[in-house]
Each structure stands twice: as structure tokens, then as C-alpha cells.
């Protein structure tokens, strides 16, 4: 349900079996494990002054989650709006996280490749934010906006699997559109940048 925000499902948060289904999915156990491992890495780097080499599974999923979370814990810059954006661009987009395969964004995508890895990472940040809200420049709505539009396919930001593929679609390098093109036309522009959209909202808030 979290990966299909425009769909309908009886499994809403008000459904009598919702909490038991969440527990059976072991989602919260995975969130807890990711935060614990990230905190351990942050402790090794900060308190003990050690070097840490991280390589989990294929390197695209858990590695990106843990390394990104450790940086959020360690560096206040990555808890700002601009810093968090730079973190996602650096350790998720440029690093080559397979958003299309993991999100099953295209018809005919391999179901076995589906995994809400990025949503897990955002949930981990959400859990940390709930404990230390004053340590973040952004709020929970910002995280929910990223989570929703990671799945909505309204923007090109979190689509395709590599920068090479995005360059082939002429989505990189990023070229801002003139402000006059905002408004109703944004809804008709399938290749608009989510960052551009958020910047536009901030300027008018």
C-alpha cells in the first residue's frame, strides 16, 4: 500500500488487522536493525576514530541505507533541507540505486526485484526525527512528500536506475525551467524535477 499511494486498499490504518499485518511484515524490526547498525557505525567513526568499510548484499540497498543514516546521525549539515537533498543525490541517485527495479515503476518490471528500500530509509529518518525534532531543519511533511512522490511518478527525480539512463533521457544536467512555466503546466510536465517543485513552494510559502 505504501508503494502505491494512488491505489485503493482495505488495508488502511483504520483496518482492524492493520497493526497485526504491520507486525507480521517485520517492517519495524528491519527499521530498528538499520538504525542500530547505523548508530554503531557512527560511534566507530566519531567516538573511536576508526575507519569503516561498509558493503552489504549487492551494495545498492542496505549499504545506501546504512551509510546515509550514519551521515544523518553524524553531520548536522545532512539534517538541513539542502544537506539532505545533497545526501540523496550523492548516495542514492549518483551511487546508482535502482529506483525503477526496486519500485517496479515500469510495466513488465521483474516482481522479484521489487523492494521498498528507499521508503525504509525515509522511515528510519522519520523515527530519528521523532526523537530529535529540533536537530532537523525540515519536518515530517518534507519526508512524507519525498516518500509520496518517490512512488507517484509525477517527477523524474527518483526514476530510472543510473545517471547514464537519466542523461540518455536528457534529464541531466539539471536545467531549471523559467518561473513563468509553473502553475497548471507543472501537472502536465512528466519530467519536472521534484527539487525544483519544492524550491518553488518554499519561495511562495
Amino acid at each position: 500500500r505504501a508503494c502505491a499511494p494512488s491505489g485503493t486498499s482495505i488495508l488502511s490504518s483504520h483496518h482492524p488487522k492493520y497493526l497485526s499485518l504491520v507486525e507480521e511484515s517485520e517492517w519495524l524490526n528491519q527499521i530498528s536493525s538499520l538504525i542500530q547498525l547505523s548508530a554503531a557505525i557512527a560511534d566507530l567513526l566519531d567516538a573511536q576514530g576508526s575507519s569503516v568499510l561498509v558493503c552489504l548484499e549487492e551494495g545498492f540497498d542496505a549499504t545506501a541505507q546504512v551509510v546515509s543514516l550514519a551521515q544523518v546521525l553524524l553531520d548536522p549539515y545532512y539534517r538541513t533541507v539542502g544537506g539532505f537533498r545533497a545526501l540523496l543525490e550523492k548516495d542514492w541517485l549518483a551511487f546508482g540505486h535502482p529506483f525503477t527495479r526496486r519500485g517496479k515503476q515500469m510495466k513488465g518490471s521483474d516482481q522479484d526485484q521489487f523492494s521498498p528500500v528507499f521508503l525504509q530509509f525515509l522511515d528510519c529518518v522519520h523515527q530519528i526525527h521523532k526523537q530529535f525534532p529540533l536537530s532537523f531543519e525540515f519536518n515530517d511533511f518534507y519526508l512524507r512528500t519525498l516518500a509520496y512522490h518517490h512512488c507517484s511518478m509525477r517527477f523524474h527525480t527518483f526514476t530510472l536506475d543510473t545517471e547514464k539512463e537519466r542523461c540518455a533521457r536528457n534529464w541531466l544536467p539539471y536545467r531549471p525551467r523559467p518561473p513563468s512555466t509553473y502553475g497548471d503546466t507543472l501537472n502536465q510536465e512528466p519530467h519536472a524535477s521534484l527539487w525544483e517543485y519544492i524550491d518553488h513552494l518554499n519561495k511562495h510559502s
Side-chain angles (χ1 to χ4, degrees), residues 84-85 87-90 92-94 97-105 118-119 121-122 142-143 145-162 166 171 190 192-195 198:
F84 195 69
R85 168 179 170 174
L87 180 69
L88 298 184
E89 291 180 336
K90 172 173 67 78
W92 290 85
L93 295 170
H97 178 71
F99 283 98
T100 294
R101 282 187 287 154
R102 293 296 182 258
K104 204 174 184 295
Q105 295 175 344
F118 185 66
L119 290 178
F121 164 71
L122 292 179
Y142 181 71
L143 294 173
T145 299
L146 294 177
Y148 180 86
H149 286 301
H150 152 259
C151 309
S152 70
M153 301 296 292
R154 179 179 175 185
F155 304 99
H156 69 64
T157 306
F158 297 114
T159 56
L160 303 182
D161 294 340
T162 64
R166 296 183 191 102
W171 294 349
S193 167
L194 177 57
W195 308 129
I198 291 174

Side-chain angles (χ1 to χ4, degrees), residues 86-151:
L87 180 69
L88 298 184
E89 291 180 336
K90 172 173 67 78
D91 288 341
W92 290 85
L93 295 170
F95 186 67
H97 178 71
F99 283 98
T100 294
R101 282 187 287 154
R102 293 296 182 258
K104 204 174 184 295
Q105 295 175 344
M106 294 185 178
K107 185 177 180 180
S109 298
D110 188 355
Q111 184 66 39
D112 294 338
Q113 296 286 326
F114 173 79
S115 181
V117 175
F118 185 66
L119 290 178
Q120 275 191 331
F121 164 71
L122 292 179
D123 194 3
C124 289
V125 177
H126 160 75
Q127 301 299 334
I128 298 170
H129 181 277
K130 293 290 287 185
Q131 297 181 63
F132 308 101
L134 298 182
S135 297
F136 289 80
E137 185 182 47
F138 51 85
N139 57 20
D140 193 56
F141 180 76
Y142 181 71
L143 294 173
R144 287 187 281 124
T145 299
L146 294 177
Y148 180 86
H149 286 301
H150 152 259
C151 309

Side-chain angles (χ1 to χ4, degrees), residues 34 37 41 51-68 95:
L34 286 169
L37 182 55
I41 292 173
S51 298
V52 179
L53 175 64
V54 180
C55 185
L56 303 169
E57 300 174 344
E58 296 180 348
F60 295 113
D61 299 329
T63 300
Q65 291 174 320
V66 170
V67 169
S68 298
F95 186 67

Side-chain angles (χ1 to χ4, degrees), residues 7-24:
T8 58
S9 172
I10 61 171
L11 300 180
S12 68
S13 58
H14 302 292
H15 193 274
K17 292 185 178 181
Y18 178 77
L19 294 178
S20 61
L21 290 171
V22 170
E23 183 177 2
E24 290 173 6

